[in-house]
Amino acid sequence: MKIKDFPHAGETPPFGAGGSGVGLYIHIPFCKQACHYCDFHFSTSLKKKNELVDALCQEMILRKDEIPGPLQTIYFGGGTPSLLEAEELAQIFKTIDSHFEVNPDAEITLEANPDDLTEAKLKMLAASRINRLSIGVQSFFEEDLKLMNRAHNAIEAVTCLELAKNYFDNISIDLIYGMPDMSDARWQENLDKTLALDIPHISSYALTVEPNTALQKFIEKGVVKPVDDAVAQGHFEILIERMQQAGFENYEFSNFGKPGYYSQNNTAYWTGKSYLGIGPSAHSYDGETRSWNVNSNPKYIKAIQSGELPIERETLSVTDKYNEYVMTGLRTIWGISLIKIEESFGLKFKEYALQQAQKHIEEHLLFLDQDRIVVTQKGKFLSDGLASDLFLINLS
């Protein structure tokens, strides 16, 4: 095993494509319909959308002092942010500009569903401050989309991408693998269609069965076959090989970008940068504390209208911060730095990490390059398990 097999090992992870700053995440908790696998917070009723947008803007004003520097990323997540109208986006950006400093080269991403991306919608988004789209395609096959209860169909999945390329250069799509009855051949064809469309960034996730979702209930009743981890691992290996052949870099376990197209938002998250989360259920992180908003639209709106923050906070212990650094770092091509561990957490933490990693290094699941521990190609699909082996409950 040679260092050339890990071209970014030993490098210091960047903030996205470069620069400095923090992130702003804005949660838009509305969807046209509920996907069977989704456990995110959202509502299928749009009745309170105007009130919610007002509340988002008010929360930003109440929390403006929590941002320690200029914004390098703004991310509209959900839910379905592509349900926002031009006036609502303008209202949000006016609030941002009035209360935050935004870097001129900030990456501003909006998640979108294919059925929303008509040419008129794309023109509107292109005329706004949005400069990156993350499109929830999930699959180009009708049977997969129906199983997931997606709002779009296979034709819309292709059409919206062909249209979007006329207005945006920086586009990412989401794809899901490991679905029941998804053959290797069908997964290969999903990837072929994606590559033929020349999309520069792909986020791809294994289908997971979350508690209390429709998918879990369908599997329990025998309506849908159980998810098979072996199938998912096979699809992941196909994904890695195809993306490498096409010139994509797997800079984080689920994220693949062509050079110059890494998501700055994703990179910031996985490398421990601070971010402020706005909206119901949104999380925030400043390096020392983590906080999260109530996951109820009515409770959120009522609290904000009363001038209160419906928020819970926890202060992270040294052990918490170490575990989080290991968990996020081992998912990336930059791995974790033993020097950083010693500087940030102490010599005992460094010695513990190296000791726990040793057996995995011998099994060629982890790789030690200078001061960095990096997951190997062989170990990628096991990265979360490898990270948990380096966790500790307490070390004094």
Side-chain angles (χ1 to χ4, degrees):
M1 197 171 299
K2 297 179 172 58
I3 290 176
K4 70 179 179 62
D5 297 320
F6 305 92
H8 297 274
E11 293 182 6
T12 300
F15 185 103
S20 60
V22 294
L24 177 65
Y25 173 82
I26 301 171
H27 189 71
I28 308 299
F30 299 104
C31 289
K32 290 179 181 176
Q33 63 189 50
C35 297
H36 288 160
Y37 58 87
C38 183
D39 69 340
F40 292 161
H41 169 67
F42 65 92
S43 170
T44 54
S45 170
L46 305 183
K47 290 180 180 178
K48 292 186 177 292
K49 186 153 72 89
N50 291 339
E51 287 182 82
L52 193 284
V53 171
D54 289 343
L56 294 175
C57 293
Q58 185 59 31
E59 186 189 358
M60 283 190 273
I61 295 170
L62 292 171
R63 301 183 69 185
K64 58 183 172 56
D65 294 333
E66 294 184 37
I67 290 288
L71 295 174
Q72 182 62 30
T73 65
I74 301 171
Y75 194 96
F76 291 84
T80 311
S82 50
L83 291 173
L84 290 173
E85 302 297 337
E87 298 78 12
E88 293 163 336
L89 272 174
Q91 179 184 350
I92 291 170
F93 279 120
K94 181 178 179 181
T95 304
I96 291 172
D97 291 335
S98 298
H99 298 91
F100 303 101
E101 179 185 354
V102 182
N103 278 347
D105 63 345
E107 176 192 270
I108 305 177
T109 303
L110 181 130
E111 290 183 352
N113 278 353
D115 48 300
D116 292 328
L117 294 182
T118 62
E119 187 146 20
K121 174 69 80 167
L122 285 162
K123 284 181 179 179
M124 181 274 283
L125 293 173
S128 76
R129 301 272 292 284
I130 305 297
N131 55 31
R132 182 175 183 271
L133 292 182
S134 177
I135 303 175
V137 170
Q138 315 307 358
S139 176
F140 291 99
F141 288 89
E142 205 66 49
E143 53 264 52
D144 297 335
L145 298 173
K146 287 180 178 177
L147 184 148
M148 292 184 279
N149 199 40
R150 297 291 292 168
H152 67 279
N153 59 43
I155 293 174
E156 288 171 324
V158 175
T159 302
C160 81
L161 290 169
E162 291 173 338
L163 282 173
K165 288 170 58 181
N166 295 327
Y167 297 95
F168 289 88
D169 169 63
N170 199 349
I171 298 172
S172 176
I173 71 168
D174 287 352
L175 292 174
I176 291 180
Y177 59 86
M179 285 189 280
D181 292 324
M182 176 183 273
S183 65
D184 288 355
R186 192 156 90 215
W187 177 233
Q188 285 267 23
E189 194 168 343
N190 261 320
L191 297 177
D192 290 343
K193 289 176 180 288
T194 301
L195 295 173
L197 287 161
D198 195 24
I199 304 301
H201 187 278
I202 295 165
S203 295
S204 192
Y205 308 94
L207 181 67
T208 55
V209 184
E210 302 294 346
N212 302 315
T213 58
L215 178 61
Q216 182 195 44
K217 293 179 174 61
F218 291 151
I219 291 174
E220 289 173 349
K221 293 177 180 178
V223 176
V224 174
K225 292 180 181 178
V227 172
D228 188 331
D229 289 342
V231 171
Q233 182 168 357
H235 289 176
F236 180 73
E237 290 167 358
I238 292 169
L239 171 68
I240 293 288
E241 182 178 0
R242 294 288 285 115
M243 292 299 102
Q244 285 181 340
Q245 291 171 350
F248 285 78
E249 295 175 347
N250 183 204
Y251 66 97
E252 187 275 327
F253 178 81
S254 300
N255 287 279
F256 301 78
K258 288 187 175 179
Y261 287 94
Y262 289 11
S263 164
Q264 292 187 33
N265 177 80
N266 294 352
T267 303
Y269 175 77
W270 295 110
T271 55
K273 298 292 183 180
S274 298
Y275 56 89
L276 177 65
I278 299 295
S281 81
H283 283 59
S284 303
Y285 172 74
D286 64 7
E288 298 296 329
T289 63
R290 186 171 297 285
S291 60
W292 54 94
N293 284 339
V294 65
N295 63 347
S296 161
N297 289 4
K299 289 180 181 178
Y300 171 80
I301 292 170
K302 183 178 180 181
I304 295 296
Q305 288 176 342
S306 301
E308 300 173 359
L309 291 174
I311 196 168
E312 291 185 53
R313 301 180 192 270
E314 66 171 336
T315 300
L316 302 175
S317 68
V318 174
T319 300
D320 291 335
K321 287 185 277 189
Y322 162 81
N323 287 345
E324 185 149 324
Y325 175 64
V326 169
M327 177 185 71
T328 55
L330 283 182
R331 290 179 64 99
T332 73
I333 55 174
W334 304 287
I336 57 174
S337 165
L338 293 170
I339 292 175
K340 176 178 171 61
I341 289 174
E342 183 174 358
E343 290 176 347
S344 300
F345 313 113
L347 180 60
K348 288 183 178 180
F349 284 82
K350 172 188 171 182
E351 292 174 342
Y352 178 84
L354 194 53
Q355 174 189 330
Q356 293 298 106
Q358 192 57 47
K359 62 182 177 182
H360 300 304
I361 292 172
E362 293 170 1
E363 294 170 352
H364 304 295
L365 300 175
L366 295 176
F367 176 74
L368 184 61
D369 175 47
Q370 299 178 52
D371 86 303
R372 288 189 174 270
I373 299 173
V374 184
V375 175
T376 68
Q377 189 90 327
K378 179 182 175 183
K380 273 188 176 181
F381 193 74
L382 307 172
S383 58
D384 286 348
L386 294 171
S388 67
D389 252 13
L390 272 65
F391 287 175
L392 53 86
I393 298 173
N394 190 31
L395 187 64
S396 56

